[in-house]
Amino acid sequence: MLLLAFAGIYTVVTAPLLHWETFWQFLFQRLILDGVRLTLVLTVAAMVIGITLGVVLAVMRLSPNPVMSAVSWFYIWFFRGTPVLVQIFFWFNVAIILPYVGVGIPFTHFGISVSTNVLIPAVVAAIFGLGFNEAAYMAEIVRAGIISVEHGQTEAAQALGMTRLQVMRRIVLPQAMRVIIPPTGNETISMLKTTSLAFVASVPELFTRADQIANSNFRYVELLFVASFWYLLMTSILTVGQFYMERYYARGAQRELTPTPFQRLRRLLFTFHVPGPT
Amino acid sequence: MVKAEAVHKSFGRLEVLRGIDLEVNPKEVMCIIGPSGSGKSTFLRCINHLEKIDAGRLSVDGELVGYRDRGDKLYELPDSEVCKKRSEIGMVFQSFNLFPHMTALENIIEAPMLVKKESRATAEARARRLLDRVGLADKVDAYPKQLSGGQQQRVAIARALAMEPKLMLFDEPTSALDPELVGDVLDAMRGLAEEGMTMVVVTHEMGFAREVGDSLVFMDAGIIVEAGNPREVLSNPRRERTKAFLSKVL
């Protein structure tokens, strides 16, 4: 296995047609770095919308009120059932359906209106498309987390006089976090790469930038490597963040906290194993 | 304090309570015994509206629980008002149900701060007093997982008392405990009874019912078979069904 991996890396590194200078030239180029920054902005903004709306949808879905539950069901059905690419494209072109957005007094000419294209620039269209789609997936993840919390917890909290929302916010959701975080980490990492779909709206994020540069110098593979390098670096950082989040929400669920990799390394290096009697 | 008149409750087609009438006076300790499936836990859960009743009337401290009386019809109260009523009734569960993500202290101060809007200082002072009273002053910062079953149940009692309830409900509080841990929990409950707390206790501890209980109710198949003074019912049951049950558990 290891040999095969080495062979693969060797082949790539020494490929005669690959122009490594181009790779190094563009790796820290300003246009690429701007793209990285925008990719991060898109990811964070879309995930904030996704998680917030997802929690609301999950709570609505589990509400005893049938209207709430139905609205949530319909949202999830619709946004999960259509491709995210189409959704980004839709928000980018929403002006076709709704050319102006405004507030005014009905049946008079008083009021203000703004062109939808001004209100929703390409970046916002991408954030809406990605975020609203993500909310549908997050809703199901949060719902799974809520269901995983034992019903006795809700009863105990209700018996103390807490309202339904208080029970959710203070008792159920914090415990559901243990179940919610791993798939949410997954979603965030997936989102980081899905932001590249924003190139259909010409949003100058990392992938669009790499593609644009490649279009001018025809070094497609090299620039895809540049983009991949940055995607890999960002997902690696997110993975570390996820570990610490999981560790935080595990308190109370385990008697001892999971050791961090550093603690584990230190223990491995500085603990002397005395051979005991066998 | 608690008044039940012809309380009925069904789960689907299964009729769990088939007309319960009883009255608990202030400062009274009532123990409810009976075989599993007799509806005793369900009845207890109806008292604080964790279960809705299908027919009859159930009031605590002179007010209907979970419903408003308008003429001859009952209307269910909104969540916020049910919560207000529930905050006056403490409940202790068989499976403790402590909040695992909070320390013992946090478990106790959560509801007073959230529901009664108490300051952290006031809530904490009372929590420490209560923990001291149930003999757990040194477990303030322990998480539930780090406590034994008996200790968890005593924290749960302290948590319920922190709301300064008028009435305490106990749903088989010692059934999930190792035998040697039962005593500590019963001691805490005995102390509470001596202080004059009104208590309704669903239990299998006949010794506790005899010593601490002011009245005893034997339930079977959704009805009250026999009720009265605990010593009399336990030593001289009048009904055949009661005799049969007691001969198995005593």
PDB file of all heavy atoms in Angstrom, chain B residues 231-246:
ATOM      1  N   ARG B 231     -50.907   1.236  58.215  1.00  0.00           N
ATOM      2  CA  ARG B 231     -50.730   0.084  59.093  1.00  0.00           C
ATOM      3  C   ARG B 231     -51.902  -0.886  58.975  1.00  0.00           C
ATOM      4  O   ARG B 231     -51.738  -2.087  58.881  1.00  0.00           O
ATOM      5  CB  ARG B 231     -50.573   0.523  60.556  1.00  0.00           C
ATOM      6  CG  ARG B 231     -49.123   0.729  60.955  1.00  0.00           C
ATOM      7  CD  ARG B 231     -49.012   1.740  62.059  1.00  0.00           C
ATOM      8  NE  ARG B 231     -49.446   3.064  61.588  1.00  0.00           N
ATOM      9  CZ  ARG B 231     -48.650   4.127  61.548  1.00  0.00           C
ATOM     10  NH1 ARG B 231     -47.419   4.035  61.973  1.00  0.00           N
ATOM     11  NH2 ARG B 231     -49.076   5.280  61.096  1.00  0.00           N
ATOM     12  N   GLU B 232     -53.111  -0.316  58.918  1.00  0.00           N
ATOM     13  CA  GLU B 232     -54.294  -1.174  58.819  1.00  0.00           C
ATOM     14  C   GLU B 232     -54.351  -1.910  57.496  1.00  0.00           C
ATOM     15  O   GLU B 232     -54.568  -3.117  57.450  1.00  0.00           O
ATOM     16  CB  GLU B 232     -55.559  -0.332  58.978  1.00  0.00           C
ATOM     17  CG  GLU B 232     -56.058  -0.298  60.400  1.00  0.00           C
ATOM     18  CD  GLU B 232     -57.157   0.726  60.566  1.00  0.00           C
ATOM     19  OE1 GLU B 232     -58.034   0.773  59.680  1.00  0.00           O
ATOM     20  OE2 GLU B 232     -57.104   1.485  61.553  1.00  0.00           O
ATOM     21  N   VAL B 233     -54.133  -1.151  56.414  1.00  0.00           N
ATOM     22  CA  VAL B 233     -54.235  -1.785  55.091  1.00  0.00           C
ATOM     23  C   VAL B 233     -53.179  -2.871  54.943  1.00  0.00           C
ATOM     24  O   VAL B 233     -53.451  -3.959  54.437  1.00  0.00           O
ATOM     25  CB  VAL B 233     -54.095  -0.740  53.966  1.00  0.00           C
ATOM     26  CG1 VAL B 233     -54.121  -1.408  52.603  1.00  0.00           C
ATOM     27  CG2 VAL B 233     -55.210   0.293  54.058  1.00  0.00           C
ATOM     28  N   LEU B 234     -51.960  -2.566  55.437  1.00  0.00           N
ATOM     29  CA  LEU B 234     -50.882  -3.533  55.246  1.00  0.00           C
ATOM     30  C   LEU B 234     -51.043  -4.770  56.125  1.00  0.00           C
ATOM     31  O   LEU B 234     -50.744  -5.878  55.705  1.00  0.00           O
ATOM     32  CB  LEU B 234     -49.521  -2.878  55.524  1.00  0.00           C
ATOM     33  CG  LEU B 234     -49.042  -1.883  54.455  1.00  0.00           C
ATOM     34  CD1 LEU B 234     -47.767  -1.188  54.882  1.00  0.00           C
ATOM     35  CD2 LEU B 234     -48.830  -2.568  53.107  1.00  0.00           C
ATOM     36  N   SER B 235     -51.541  -4.575  57.345  1.00  0.00           N
ATOM     37  CA  SER B 235     -51.648  -5.761  58.199  1.00  0.00           C
ATOM     38  C   SER B 235     -53.022  -6.437  58.112  1.00  0.00           C
ATOM     39  O   SER B 235     -53.127  -7.647  58.288  1.00  0.00           O
ATOM     40  CB  SER B 235     -51.305  -5.415  59.653  1.00  0.00           C
ATOM     41  OG  SER B 235     -51.745  -4.113  59.961  1.00  0.00           O
ATOM     42  N   ASN B 236     -54.068  -5.665  57.810  1.00  0.00           N
ATOM     43  CA  ASN B 236     -55.403  -6.261  57.711  1.00  0.00           C
ATOM     44  C   ASN B 236     -56.131  -5.882  56.433  1.00  0.00           C
ATOM     45  O   ASN B 236     -57.151  -5.217  56.477  1.00  0.00           O
ATOM     46  CB  ASN B 236     -56.277  -5.795  58.892  1.00  0.00           C
ATOM     47  CG  ASN B 236     -55.973  -6.579  60.141  1.00  0.00           C
ATOM     48  OD1 ASN B 236     -55.837  -7.796  60.090  1.00  0.00           O
ATOM     49  ND2 ASN B 236     -55.852  -5.867  61.250  1.00  0.00           N
ATOM     50  N   PRO B 237     -55.607  -6.293  55.279  1.00  0.00           N
ATOM     51  CA  PRO B 237     -56.305  -5.915  54.048  1.00  0.00           C
ATOM     52  C   PRO B 237     -57.693  -6.537  53.997  1.00  0.00           C
ATOM     53  O   PRO B 237     -57.863  -7.698  54.380  1.00  0.00           O
ATOM     54  CB  PRO B 237     -55.403  -6.461  52.937  1.00  0.00           C
ATOM     55  CG  PRO B 237     -54.584  -7.515  53.583  1.00  0.00           C
ATOM     56  CD  PRO B 237     -54.447  -7.153  55.021  1.00  0.00           C
ATOM     57  N   ARG B 238     -58.672  -5.727  53.539  1.00  0.00           N
ATOM     58  CA  ARG B 238     -60.040  -6.231  53.508  1.00  0.00           C
ATOM     59  C   ARG B 238     -60.370  -6.922  52.186  1.00  0.00           C
ATOM     60  O   ARG B 238     -61.142  -7.850  52.144  1.00  0.00           O
ATOM     61  CB  ARG B 238     -61.030  -5.104  53.764  1.00  0.00           C
ATOM     62  CG  ARG B 238     -61.152  -4.755  55.238  1.00  0.00           C
ATOM     63  CD  ARG B 238     -61.864  -3.444  55.401  1.00  0.00           C
ATOM     64  NE  ARG B 238     -61.139  -2.406  54.672  1.00  0.00           N
ATOM     65  CZ  ARG B 238     -61.597  -1.172  54.485  1.00  0.00           C
ATOM     66  NH1 ARG B 238     -62.770  -0.825  54.914  1.00  0.00           N
ATOM     67  NH2 ARG B 238     -60.881  -0.284  53.831  1.00  0.00           N
ATOM     68  N   ARG B 239     -59.760  -6.428  51.083  1.00  0.00           N
ATOM     69  CA  ARG B 239     -60.088  -6.997  49.773  1.00  0.00           C
ATOM     70  C   ARG B 239     -59.167  -8.171  49.444  1.00  0.00           C
ATOM     71  O   ARG B 239     -57.991  -8.158  49.796  1.00  0.00           O
ATOM     72  CB  ARG B 239     -59.954  -5.924  48.679  1.00  0.00           C
ATOM     73  CG  ARG B 239     -60.816  -4.702  48.902  1.00  0.00           C
ATOM     74  CD  ARG B 239     -62.296  -5.048  48.753  1.00  0.00           C
ATOM     75  NE  ARG B 239     -63.131  -3.875  48.945  1.00  0.00           N
ATOM     76  CZ  ARG B 239     -63.656  -3.191  47.951  1.00  0.00           C
ATOM     77  NH1 ARG B 239     -63.431  -3.571  46.709  1.00  0.00           N
ATOM     78  NH2 ARG B 239     -64.397  -2.147  48.196  1.00  0.00           N
ATOM     79  N   GLU B 240     -59.723  -9.114  48.706  1.00  0.00           N
ATOM     80  CA  GLU B 240     -58.952 -10.284  48.288  1.00  0.00           C
ATOM     81  C   GLU B 240     -57.756  -9.891  47.430  1.00  0.00           C
ATOM     82  O   GLU B 240     -56.665 -10.426  47.564  1.00  0.00           O
ATOM     83  CB  GLU B 240     -59.842 -11.257  47.485  1.00  0.00           C
ATOM     84  CG  GLU B 240     -60.758 -12.105  48.339  1.00  0.00           C
ATOM     85  CD  GLU B 240     -59.997 -12.812  49.472  1.00  0.00           C
ATOM     86  OE1 GLU B 240     -58.938 -13.421  49.197  1.00  0.00           O
ATOM     87  OE2 GLU B 240     -60.453 -12.707  50.640  1.00  0.00           O
ATOM     88  N   ARG B 241     -57.999  -8.914  46.501  1.00  0.00           N
ATOM     89  CA  ARG B 241     -56.959  -8.496  45.569  1.00  0.00           C
ATOM     90  C   ARG B 241     -55.768  -7.909  46.329  1.00  0.00           C
ATOM     91  O   ARG B 241     -54.615  -8.173  46.001  1.00  0.00           O
ATOM     92  CB  ARG B 241     -57.549  -7.459  44.605  1.00  0.00           C
ATOM     93  CG  ARG B 241     -56.640  -7.045  43.494  1.00  0.00           C
ATOM     94  CD  ARG B 241     -56.383  -8.180  42.525  1.00  0.00           C
ATOM     95  NE  ARG B 241     -55.249  -7.870  41.643  1.00  0.00           N
ATOM     96  CZ  ARG B 241     -53.985  -8.108  41.930  1.00  0.00           C
ATOM     97  NH1 ARG B 241     -53.655  -8.677  43.079  1.00  0.00           N
ATOM     98  NH2 ARG B 241     -53.029  -7.808  41.084  1.00  0.00           N
ATOM     99  N   THR B 242     -56.067  -7.115  47.368  1.00  0.00           N
ATOM    100  CA  THR B 242     -55.006  -6.511  48.173  1.00  0.00           C
ATOM    101  C   THR B 242     -54.221  -7.605  48.894  1.00  0.00           C
ATOM    102  O   THR B 242     -52.986  -7.589  48.927  1.00  0.00           O
ATOM    103  CB  THR B 242     -55.604  -5.542  49.212  1.00  0.00           C
ATOM    104  OG1 THR B 242     -56.663  -4.806  48.592  1.00  0.00           O
ATOM    105  CG2 THR B 242     -54.562  -4.590  49.733  1.00  0.00           C
ATOM    106  N   LYS B 243     -54.965  -8.569  49.452  1.00  0.00           N
ATOM    107  CA  LYS B 243     -54.310  -9.664  50.176  1.00  0.00           C
ATOM    108  C   LYS B 243     -53.351 -10.414  49.261  1.00  0.00           C
ATOM    109  O   LYS B 243     -52.221 -10.711  49.632  1.00  0.00           O
ATOM    110  CB  LYS B 243     -55.369 -10.658  50.695  1.00  0.00           C
ATOM    111  CG  LYS B 243     -55.951 -10.256  52.027  1.00  0.00           C
ATOM    112  CD  LYS B 243     -56.992 -11.276  52.481  1.00  0.00           C
ATOM    113  CE  LYS B 243     -57.933 -10.629  53.470  1.00  0.00           C
ATOM    114  NZ  LYS B 243     -59.190 -11.368  53.621  1.00  0.00           N
ATOM    115  N   ALA B 244     -53.832 -10.710  48.056  1.00  0.00           N
ATOM    116  CA  ALA B 244     -53.026 -11.474  47.105  1.00  0.00           C
ATOM    117  C   ALA B 244     -51.750 -10.713  46.765  1.00  0.00           C
ATOM    118  O   ALA B 244     -50.655 -11.281  46.731  1.00  0.00           O
ATOM    119  CB  ALA B 244     -53.834 -11.751  45.840  1.00  0.00           C
ATOM    120  N   PHE B 245     -51.886  -9.398  46.549  1.00  0.00           N
ATOM    121  CA  PHE B 245     -50.718  -8.584  46.182  1.00  0.00           C
ATOM    122  C   PHE B 245     -49.721  -8.518  47.335  1.00  0.00           C
ATOM    123  O   PHE B 245     -48.528  -8.750  47.172  1.00  0.00           O
ATOM    124  CB  PHE B 245     -51.169  -7.170  45.791  1.00  0.00           C
ATOM    125  CG  PHE B 245     -50.028  -6.222  45.521  1.00  0.00           C
ATOM    126  CD1 PHE B 245     -49.288  -6.322  44.356  1.00  0.00           C
ATOM    127  CD2 PHE B 245     -49.693  -5.225  46.439  1.00  0.00           C
ATOM    128  CE1 PHE B 245     -48.238  -5.457  44.097  1.00  0.00           C
ATOM    129  CE2 PHE B 245     -48.632  -4.357  46.188  1.00  0.00           C
ATOM    130  CZ  PHE B 245     -47.908  -4.473  45.019  1.00  0.00           C
ATOM    131  N   LEU B 246     -50.262  -8.243  48.550  1.00  0.00           N
ATOM    132  CA  LEU B 246     -49.378  -8.081  49.700  1.00  0.00           C
ATOM    133  C   LEU B 246     -48.677  -9.379  50.054  1.00  0.00           C
ATOM    134  O   LEU B 246     -47.518  -9.372  50.477  1.00  0.00           O
ATOM    135  CB  LEU B 246     -50.172  -7.553  50.898  1.00  0.00           C
ATOM    136  CG  LEU B 246     -50.614  -6.090  50.768  1.00  0.00           C
ATOM    137  CD1 LEU B 246     -51.468  -5.689  51.951  1.00  0.00           C
ATOM    138  CD2 LEU B 246     -49.405  -5.160  50.644  1.00  0.00           C
TER     139      LEU B 246
END
